[in-house]
Amino acid sequence: MPARDHDHLRLDRRRILRLGAGTAAAVAAGAAAGGSPALGGPTAAGRPWPGGPAPSGFALLGDTQIDVDLPERTEIVSWVYQHIAAANPPIVCHVGDIVEHGSVAEYDTYLSTIPAALRPRIRHVPGNHDWRWDSTAGARYGALFGPSRYSFDHAGLHFVALDPSHLLQEPGGFGEPGIDWLTRDLNRVPAGVPIVLLCHFPFGGDNYYVNDQERLLGLLDRYNVRAVFAGHVHAEQVQRFNGLTQFAVDDTRGAPIYYWVERTSGRAGSVLRITAVQRAADGSAETRPVLEIPLDGPRTALAQRPQALSLTPAASTLAVSVRLSPRAEAASVQAQLYPQHTYGLKDAGQWRDLAADTSGRRFSTGLDITTLPPGEHRMTVRVTDPGGAWYEQTRTFALPDPRRRLRWREQLGAPVQAGLAARDGLLVATTTDGTVLGARPTRNGLRQSWRTRLGPVHGRPAFAPDGRTVYVPSDDQHLYALDPATGRRRFAYRAGAPVLGSPLVTRVAGRTLVVFAAGETRQAIDARTGARVWNVPGSGMFAGRAASDGIRVYAGAGDGNVYAHDARTGAVRWSFSTNSRTTAYSRLIYGPWADNLEVLPNGLVLVSTVANAFALDPATGQQRWSVTGSYVYAPKLLLDDGDVLMFDDGGRTAARVDPDTGEARWTTGLGARPVSTGAAIHRSVAWTPTTTGLLVALDLGTGSVRTRLQLTTTGYCYSPPVVVGDLLLVGDQDGLLHGIDVS
């Protein structure tokens, strides 16, 4: 079978520095990974491999998370890579979170830890740290390491590198395109060849880092997948389920540790034997056996797969019935409602034992569904064998909505991460593959007017005051001005770096400007012609939206500060530090890097982080008030009476706030996190889609919950909604646009 490995590019400092200017162009040249001499030889410390010569195999590590402000990590990773290099492995598998937040300096430092001869042998997968917070890090990663998903063959094994990550977001999802790609790859693997998956996020069991992991598990049943190597949890974790063994590695950032994986013979055939290699107190290397993963023989947990599974929802109970196959040996059969609103975390679950009938083949129970709203939901059945391995299967069920509020769904083909805007009955929808369409939503679906393709879009489009132009930000380093009636380009402004956030259209000295961030710059252009008005360097990336009062422009930055710029020239007038953190990474993540700033009716500037919201004096930047909470992601809404509607992601609440004092007139729990979604107002009701698909309607006067509806189960919602007539439009990461009747 021909290898399908990608070419691994030569890693050097000059290449990284070229990428640091913000260009998204991939580096063309590269050196393909070649063969390696036989393993053996001294360790990095000059001592023989503990216990004798190095065995044949490969090295495995993850979560190095290089941070230039924490040099002890660099020393740890250097020791690890020197020790690995001395063993001379043919390949090294790194399961993600290579660096802390994807900066040029971090990748430069990371490469300095790797002996030159070892560099082309390392196979990386991206973690959430590697490009989430940096507008250029995705292109940097691709130029240095190649595609984020790929496959290769080694030592009779087929390796597949997976990437469920989402730019700007913490957890992930494969989506149908990711599953389709994996299906095509696995279909080419000859029968009998063991398959090993590499993925930063672990899945299954108590792991809820990938929202549509049941898509993956349903696919893997059909193939000879034996092992999954993952990271992210910063602890060794072994789980045997669905016929595979998943091993999550301990993090190398915290201690000098890696793993040696050797294909060898075990009691029942070929196995992958995993040994931990860690630096001892005296500087030598200690080894410790961890586990063996069987590569031959039956995948025993598959025998526990239910032969039949039925779900029958009633008024208050979901009846679950399971019939096992004659081959099953079940120590227990359990079920639980899927913890839908666990977002990027572990969850032990609330499992309920099913009762067996006299045959011992049929099991049943009832799950309480009295608190579930109408819409789609999931449940999981787990059948555990006497050895502790299990088979899990997740199924979807629906609870009827008597009002039939969900009128339709339209598949747009790629995630709708933030990109909806509406005006005068026209919806402009954008996706992360660059699709942009104009349509007239109706109760029966979309009447599409036009469709075009730009670069990927992660921010919200914005209309001109007269509605005759819509401005679309793009990762392809452009801000586009389109005619909303036809989709034709009025102009394409080259910004010099990805435009990830949302543009602001504002009036300055009688002139309409579009203000936005591109990479580490803050820019303003003429809204009519696209001519540059000013372009000033920033201090770190900004993926939110600026605010302006016509005198100054206010924007967050990756250095943890908010800056006031002269609206006519871009010159900085003042800055305000939002946190007291000391490292570049911590100032970034605890800063206003993704905030949608607002100028309140009283003139104060509202800026938020994951810890606080601050109201600042517009002329001086002095703090007038602050409130505790994570208000940085979801856009705030200014209400007609001057109050502001704010969403606390960490507290899972919405609050109506007095702009003069920051005091809440009411606060309501949403039941799920509103990461990036915000709300849309229709007839004094705030319709709030939460990230995990729960739609909550709040009475603006009292904060009481009017209604709830579960829109989706497998696609996270990050896009702020819009209203067109009596329809609420909500996008999700599965590429679905939901049309909800809110009349």
Side-chain angles (χ1 to χ4, degrees):
M1 179 178 60
R4 291 185 295 279
D5 195 1
H6 63 71
D7 288 346
H8 280 263
L9 303 175
R10 188 178 303 279
L11 311 182
D12 59 66
R13 187 175 188 277
R14 288 191 300 273
R15 185 181 304 282
I16 292 181
L17 294 177
R18 284 199 298 272
L19 290 167
T23 176
V27 179
S36 301
L39 297 173
T43 67
R47 300 178 178 87
W49 182 274
S56 61
F58 60 92
L60 171 69
L61 76 161
D63 297 275
T64 47
Q65 290 181 227
I66 287 291
D67 186 329
V68 296
D69 293 321
L70 300 173
E72 61 272 20
R73 292 190 188 175
T74 303
E75 187 276 330
I76 288 171
V77 177
S78 294
W79 183 91
V80 166
Y81 272 133
Q82 288 167 12
H83 198 271
I84 290 173
N88 199 22
I91 62 168
V92 179
C93 296
H94 191 306
V95 290
D97 278 3
I98 303 162
V99 295
E100 195 72 286
H101 68 278
S103 70
V104 171
E106 286 178 348
Y107 276 113
D108 191 0
T109 302
Y110 171 71
L111 296 184
S112 75
T113 68
I114 310 172
L118 191 64
R119 293 179 185 177
R121 306 180 199 177
I122 303 176
R123 305 295 188 260
H124 296 90
V125 293
N128 51 295
H129 280 257
D130 294 321
W131 62 38
R132 176 189 177 190
W133 295 283
D134 190 302
S135 58
T136 60
R140 190 173 304 125
Y141 178 98
L144 291 172
F145 306 130
S148 63
R149 60 187 187 193
Y150 58 95
S151 63
F152 62 96
D153 300 298
H154 171 70
L157 304 171
H158 182 71
F159 290 78
V160 185
L162 303 177
D163 176 22
S165 61
H166 292 157
L167 180 64
L168 303 178
Q169 305 299 335
E170 174 79 8
F174 291 101
E176 292 295 347
I179 295 300
D180 289 346
W181 175 87
L182 180 59
T183 303
R184 291 192 299 272
D185 183 90
L186 296 182
N187 280 340
R188 295 193 291 261
V189 181
V193 173
I195 298 168
V196 177
L197 304 183
L198 307 174
C199 185
H200 179 64
F201 298 114
F203 46 82
D206 60 352
N207 300 297
Y208 294 94
Y209 305 106
V210 178
N211 195 45
D212 60 349
Q213 56 191 351
E214 70 266 29
R215 282 176 169 154
L216 179 68
L217 292 178
L219 172 67
L220 298 186
D221 280 358
R222 295 157 33 196
Y223 303 96
N224 191 29
V225 178
R226 296 290 180 151
V228 177
F229 294 135
H232 192 65
V233 295
H234 294 190
E236 289 180 9
Q237 174 182 275
V238 178
Q239 295 173 311
R240 300 185 188 274
F241 63 98
N242 289 43
L244 57 85
T245 301
Q246 179 169 257
F247 176 57
V249 302
D250 203 352
D251 61 301
T252 300
R253 72 167 194 169
I257 187 172
Y258 70 95
Y259 300 86
W260 194 263
V261 186
E262 176 192 4
R263 184 171 185 177
T264 187
S265 295
R267 293 180 179 178
S270 180
V271 299
L272 291 179
R273 180 173 295 154
I274 301 177
T275 302
V277 184
Q278 191 163 5
R279 186 171 64 189
D282 64 358
S284 64
E286 295 180 334
T287 62
R288 168 175 51 86
V290 178
L291 80 153
E292 292 186 352
I293 300 176
L295 299 178
D296 298 331
R299 298 164 65 195
T300 56
L302 291 182
Q304 314 308 317
R305 179 169 49 195
Q307 195 171 64
L309 171 61
S310 66
L311 308 177
T312 307
S316 61
T317 303
L318 176 70
V320 180
S321 177
V322 175
R323 186 174 79 248
L324 299 184
S325 72
R327 298 183 300 118
E329 297 182 33
S332 67
V333 180
Q334 298 173 302
Q336 71 162 355
L337 295 176
Y338 191 95
Q340 175 71 19
H341 305 303
T342 296
Y343 177 74
L345 296 170
K346 283 185 173 293
D347 193 317
Q350 298 181 17
W351 295 93
R352 183 180 178 90
D353 290 326
L354 277 68
D357 69 1
T358 55
S359 72
R361 296 289 107 190
R362 294 179 181 273
F363 296 78
S364 61
T365 193
L367 299 178
D368 183 1
I369 57 175
T370 54
T371 63
L372 297 184
E376 289 190 354
H377 301 276
R378 290 183 278 186
M379 63 78 60
T380 304
V381 166
R382 177 181 292 177
V383 184
T384 304
D385 69 19
W390 73 87
Y391 184 90
E392 65 180 66
Q393 186 177 78
T394 298
R395 294 274 295 272
T396 301
F397 65 96
L399 298 182
D401 177 13
R403 296 183 57 186
R404 297 184 64 243
R405 286 165 294 188
L406 179 60
R407 300 296 302 177
W408 48 262
R409 287 170 171 162
E410 184 86 14
Q411 176 56 251
L412 301 187
V416 184
Q417 187 152 314
L420 299 179
R423 171 149 180 170
D424 301 329
L426 176 72
L427 171 73
V428 175
T430 67
T431 72
T432 59
D433 75 348
T435 297
V436 184
L437 62 88
R440 300 281 175 179
T442 73
R443 285 174 56 86
N444 298 316
L446 285 179
R447 293 206 314 264
Q448 191 173 139
S449 302
W450 52 266
R451 180 184 289 254
T452 189
R453 180 64 68 89
L454 309 175
V457 180
H458 286 88
R460 285 179 291 165
F463 279 91
D466 61 7
R468 298 181 61 186
T469 305
V470 62
Y471 303 95
V472 180
S474 177
D475 296 9
D476 71 359
Q477 305 184 26
H478 288 86
L479 180 78
Y480 293 93
L482 306 181
D483 182 337
T486 65
R488 294 192 182 95
R489 294 185 190 179
R490 298 196 186 279
F491 62 79
Y493 173 80
R494 183 167 182 80
V499 186
L500 290 181
S502 302
L504 169 74
V505 184
T506 186
R507 293 284 291 176
V508 176
R511 185 182 188 185
T512 302
L513 304 183
V514 184
V515 179
F516 56 93
E520 296 195 359
T521 66
R522 311 293 180 264
Q523 303 188 35
I525 63 174
D526 185 280
R528 184 176 60 84
T529 66
R532 178 179 294 175
V533 177
W534 47 263
N535 182 341
V536 297
S539 299
M541 65 94 71
F542 179 52
R545 189 197 63 202
S548 178
D549 53 15
I551 301 172
R552 286 166 291 269
V553 167
Y554 310 95
D559 64 355
N561 296 327
V562 58
Y563 291 89
H565 299 267
D566 185 293
R568 292 172 297 175
T569 67
V572 174
R573 297 308 183 197
W574 54 257
S575 66
F576 173 82
S577 177
T578 63
N579 67 81
S580 58
R581 306 280 174 159
T582 56
T583 68
Y585 166 69
S586 61
R587 286 194 62 80
L588 166 69
I589 66 170
Y590 288 97
W593 71 278
D595 189 39
N596 290 260
L597 285 77
E598 293 287 353
V599 175
L600 301 176
N602 57 13
L604 298 181
V605 180
L606 183 62
V607 60
S608 304
T609 70
V610 294
N612 300 97
F614 304 92
L616 308 178
D617 184 281
T620 65
Q622 294 296 308
Q623 179 180 314
R624 293 286 186 84
W625 55 259
S626 70
V627 293
T628 301
S630 178
Y631 300 99
V632 66
Y633 298 120
K636 278 70 71 176
L637 288 178
L638 300 182
L639 305 180
D640 291 341
D641 65 352
D643 283 355
V644 56
L645 191 61
M646 299 172 62
F647 303 91
D648 180 356
D649 166 54
R652 301 185 175 195
T653 62
R656 181 169 183 154
V657 174
D658 182 334
D660 295 325
T661 65
E663 295 181 358
R665 304 191 192 280
W666 53 254
T667 300
T668 300
L670 299 172
R673 297 175 64 175
V675 182
S676 303
T677 54
I681 307 297
H682 180 70
R683 297 179 184 173
S684 299
V685 175
W687 292 86
T688 304
T690 66
T691 303
T692 48
L694 177 65
L695 178 65
V696 183
L698 301 175
D699 185 290
L700 280 179
T702 65
S704 61
V705 175
R706 290 278 194 91
T707 189
R708 297 188 304 151
L709 181 67
Q710 184 68 40
L711 293 178
T712 182
T713 57
T714 59
Y716 286 128
C717 294
Y718 296 120
S719 181
V722 296
V723 170
V724 176
D726 287 331
L727 280 175
L728 180 78
L729 291 311
V730 178
D732 69 26
Q733 293 297 93
D734 274 347
L736 289 172
L737 184 67
H738 306 259
I740 301 106
D741 185 346
V742 294
S743 60

